[in-house]
Amino acid sequence: MNIGQQVADATDRLLAAHGSPDALTRAEEGLWPAALWNQLLGLGLGEAMVDEERGGHGFGWSDLAGTFIAIGRRACPVPIGEHMVARALVERSGLKAPDGILTLSTRIEPRIQIDANRVSGELPAVVWGGESRHIVFSCDSESGGGRLGVVELSAGTTMPRPSISRTPHADLTYRSAEVRLAPAERGAVTLAGALLRSLQITGAIERVLADTVTYANTRVQFGRPIGRFQAIQQLVAELGNEAAASTATAMGAARALDRNEGHLAVAVAKARSSAAAGRVAAIAHEVHAAIGVTLDFNLHHMTRRLWQWRNDFGDEFYWRAELARAATAEGRDGLWSLIIAASGGVDANAPASETT
Amino acid sequence: MTLSFPQPSSIPSEAALRREVRAFLADHAAAWSSRDRARSWIGFDRDFSRAVGARGWIGMTLPRPYGHGRSHVERYIVVEEMLAAGAPVGAHWIADRQSAPLIVKRGTERQKQLLVPGIVRGETCFCIGMSEPASGSDLASITSRATRVDGGWRLDGRKVWTTGAHHADFMIALFRTGQGGSADRQEGLTQFLVDMRSSGLEIRGIRDLTGERHFNEVLFDGVFVPEDMVLGEPGNGWTQVIAELAHERSGPERYMSAFPLFLAALRQTGETIDANCLGEAIADYVTLRLVSLSVAGQMDEGKDIAQAAALAKELGADLEQRTPDVVRRLVPDPDEALSEMIDYVTCVAPTFSIRGGTREIMRGLSARGLGLR
């Protein structure tokens, strides 16, 4: 078993132990799961994606895909995924990551202005603002290149906002607050956040599929488990199709982002997994019928996250528009090449050095 | 329980292979009208198949000395380039995709020597003898019978929906050799290699709603098949057919039938375009490529792909069937050639989710594979 799988399994076990429906409800009510957070850091996750030269483990997206999927599958009530990704982006840009929890704004176009080393404006829908110390965000430079910014939460005004997942979200407003900046790839946070959510959605769908199958096999009506009825079987098969689509595209995007060729693949992954999230939630609720929409039953913990994560870092409509933009930029005859590239293939005109 | 669809490693020569295939296709493409391309892998052209065979692109995955001993992923690259171009691969398609692999796996040495070289050269054409008038989705209910006679078997009955039977040299046909009855539904079935020139065999064409004839009914009235043309074990037909169907369901043609139409449409989009519609279609095509390519990679690893192929086929058929509507949305004013392509694909689109097993049957298979009892 490779190291990535070991980390994923360890994370999954830890999250399963801490992820009872009661624990998730208490987290929604504001209880910070401090013990869980410390144990996740104890696994080395915080620096997992940081390059080895900068004190990390040098894992890539493919290595950690299973871990991010586990974070989704177990409805993890702490921002470990955001923290891991934010730390990696900060270190890769050459900045030293500050102490404390790093988080992200989950909207794709923060409304901010940079003036020298000062930031003003709004970073909306920041997750886990209560316990996090710094926000990492992407912005453009004057020359049109990309930048990464790191700003303290305490330097801004926090306005909590409700979210469908009922995990802590807040809008942060800044007035000329000090910010550390470094050159980085344009939209790096959006791209990384979109892939993180695609993998989380994949994990959540896996869990919902398993729970739906269990329910269909145990709920008896008309003298038999409802899973014996073709109507239910057809729905569950469709759920399985959506699971496959989410998994395949998210894993493909992980590989692509590791090769620094991620933009198209991530767009596909987030577009497809976001669409899958909605369909999966609908099917699961249909199969579970009334019990599935009650607060006491577990399903809502997963489906509200599916509804949340499909919107974070660009919903399916945003990323489809990105794909359409890429396709029209490629030109009328470029679509086949685009599809090959976005699915990890090597096109005919690739130079020899890219074919291994 | 969930299928994971891992990606195969890249083949080292992928770019060069694509260049080779595209250059070959460019030499032939001038002869193909937009309607030819719309027909995609149903298009039948023996000369083209022979040319493909001469390049070593038929029987790619068959082990040497029968074929070229290359990987399923390499075959996949070649095949998807042909499908993207709308090449008329129909004359060698069935033989390459499923008949030859079945013969190599289950056949006698004599059968392999007799049939496989012609397939690999692109000269020998096969058709599939499975469905009957009263047995479509319920394939195990077939009643066409094979009776032992001196030196072989006598076949009586009828097969239907047999694509290309009027062109084919051979059929791999499933007949009942056992007693029949519910205890014996899946036992007692045997596959036969039937020479389409046999006496007692009558082929009647069936025109489809486009007016074209691809389907046929094939009547067997005392057709003699010698003992050495039984394929595999008598009574093992069901197991063999299930494996054959996995091959039939496994390839990129299961999501690319409407792709030449999609490509053609993009050349005629207007100034403003429905970005959501286009982006969704692109995301779906990429998704299907990932899923479909994974199946090829899993075949190279010797995995049982029956579940994965059923899922990929169902997901792919849905995309193929939606593509004419995507095109109608993106191109409000298609020219005559594109209009004809849209109309043609619209007419044949219902078959995309029927051939090789209906969507509803695939979903039943998937549901069982996912753990529904």
Side-chain angles (χ1 to χ4, degrees), chain A residues 206 209-210 213 216-217 225 227-228 232-234 236-238 240-245 247-249 252 255 268 271-272 316-317 320-321 323-324 327-328 332-333 335-340 342-350 355-356, chain B residues 1-2 4-5 7-12 14-15 18-19 22 80-81 84 255-256 259 262-263 266-270 273 275-276 278-280 282-287 289-291 311 314-315 359-360 363-364 366-367 370-373:
Chain A
E206 227 179 77
L209 172 60
V213 168
N217 279 335
R228 296 266 182 87
I232 300 293
Q233 290 171 8
Q234 302 279 303
V236 169
E238 192 188 341
N241 292 348
E242 294 298 299
T247 309
T249 53
R255 274 167 65 131
V268 168
R272 194 59 186 84
E316 60 266 41
F317 309 107
R320 286 172 189 166
L323 288 169
T328 35
R332 300 305 164 92
D333 291 318
L335 181 71
W336 179 225
S337 293
L338 188 154
I339 289 171
I340 292 169
S343 50
V346 181
D347 201 7
N349 55 4
T355 55
T356 43
Chain B
M1 181 201 300
T2 325
S4 64
F5 296 99
Q7 289 304 291
S9 320
S10 304
I11 58 172
E14 182 172 336
R18 287 191 197 277
R19 277 196 294 275
R22 289 183 194 175
E80 70 174 351
E81 287 292 334
Y255 83 93
M256 289 185 79
F259 194 67
F262 189 40
L263 288 183
L266 285 179
R267 295 191 185 101
Q268 287 186 34
T269 52
I273 206 170
N276 183 64
L278 176 57
E280 185 182 17
I282 293 171
D284 286 340
Y285 271 103
V286 175
T287 302
R289 184 169 188 273
L290 287 164
V291 167
L311 189 155
E314 205 243 296
L315 209 53
R359 159 179 298 125
E360 290 67 30
R363 286 189 172 185
S366 288
L370 288 170
L372 285 188
R373 284 185 243 108

Side-chain angles (χ1 to χ4, degrees), chain A:
Chain A
M1 188 192 290
N2 65 39
I3 185 77
Q5 189 63 49
Q6 289 178 41
V7 173
D9 288 350
T11 305
D12 188 68
R13 274 195 301 274
L14 186 53
L15 292 175
H18 286 263
S20 70
D22 279 345
L24 297 182
T25 303
R26 284 196 299 274
E28 279 179 27
E29 289 163 354
L31 180 67
W32 169 248
L36 171 61
W37 179 256
N38 291 329
Q39 288 191 56
L40 287 167
L41 291 189
L43 289 180
L45 291 182
E47 60 274 12
M49 294 188 90
V50 174
D51 291 340
E52 286 181 88
E53 307 89 73
R54 293 182 76 92
H57 300 298
F59 290 158
W61 284 97
S62 299
D63 297 320
L64 290 167
T67 299
F68 294 131
I69 287 171
I71 286 169
R73 181 191 304 124
R74 300 295 178 184
C76 175
V78 293
I80 186 64
E82 291 85 345
H83 178 75
M84 288 165 70
V85 164
R87 264 198 77 176
L89 288 173
V90 168
E91 293 281 348
R92 192 163 306 143
S93 75
L95 296 171
K96 172 114 181 44
D99 290 335
I101 301 177
L102 302 177
T103 188
L104 308 170
S105 160
T106 58
R107 300 298 101 179
I108 44 182
E109 273 139 16
R111 300 178 275 278
I112 49 165
Q113 306 86 44
I114 307 277
D115 187 8
N117 67 334
R118 300 264 156 193
V119 61
S120 301
E122 190 180 78
L123 289 170
V126 172
V127 281
W128 303 98
E131 297 298 322
S132 305
R133 213 182 287 175
H134 289 86
I135 306 173
V136 175
F137 62 93
S138 283
C139 57
D140 288 342
S141 67
E142 279 120 26
S143 56
R147 280 191 298 197
L148 202 71
V150 185
V151 68
E152 277 195 56
L153 269 121
S154 58
T157 315
T158 300
M159 178 76 80
R161 71 185 261 172
S163 67
I164 194 168
S165 61
R166 295 204 286 276
T167 47
H169 280 68
D171 295 335
L172 267 292
T173 307
Y174 290 94
R175 274 204 193 83
S176 207
E178 200 177 308
V179 61
R180 284 197 294 145
L181 295 160
E185 280 204 50
R186 289 192 75 216
V189 168
T190 298
L191 211 62
L195 179 52
L196 172 63
R197 289 295 189 258
S198 299
L199 290 162
Q200 287 176 248
I201 288 171
T202 295
I205 290 177
E206 227 179 77
R207 168 88 168 272
V208 169
L209 172 60
D211 289 351
T212 303
V213 168
T214 299
Y215 187 79
N217 279 335
T218 48
R219 170 69 173 171
V220 173
Q221 288 288 272
F222 307 105
R224 72 208 76 180
I226 61 171
R228 296 266 182 87
F229 291 98
Q230 282 196 2
I232 300 293
Q233 290 171 8
Q234 302 279 303
L235 281 180
V236 169
E238 192 188 341
L239 208 172
N241 292 348
E242 294 298 299
S246 186
T247 309
T249 53
M251 297 300 288
R255 274 167 65 131
L257 203 49
D258 281 342
R259 289 192 311 262
N260 285 318
E261 291 164 9
H263 188 251
L264 287 176
V266 172
V268 168
K270 189 58 173 46
R272 194 59 186 84
S273 66
S274 295
R279 192 66 195 124
V280 164
I283 292 172
H285 276 299
E286 189 69 10
V287 173
H288 283 82
I291 197 81
V293 293
T294 64
L295 202 60
D296 280 351
F297 198 73
N298 305 334
L299 183 59
H300 70 90
H301 287 294
M302 301 311 298
T303 54
R304 284 186 298 105
R305 277 168 176 75
L306 287 172
W307 290 322
Q308 178 72 54
W309 294 339
R310 69 177 173 172
N311 286 340
D312 289 348
F313 302 104
D315 59 18
E316 60 266 41
F317 309 107
Y318 172 80
W319 288 106
R320 286 172 189 166
E322 282 296 297
L323 288 169
R325 209 187 325 274
T328 35
E330 278 289 317
R332 300 305 164 92
D333 291 318
L335 181 71
W336 179 225
S337 293
L338 188 154
I339 289 171
I340 292 169
S343 50
V346 181
D347 201 7
N349 55 4
S353 61
E354 282 177 23
T355 55
T356 43

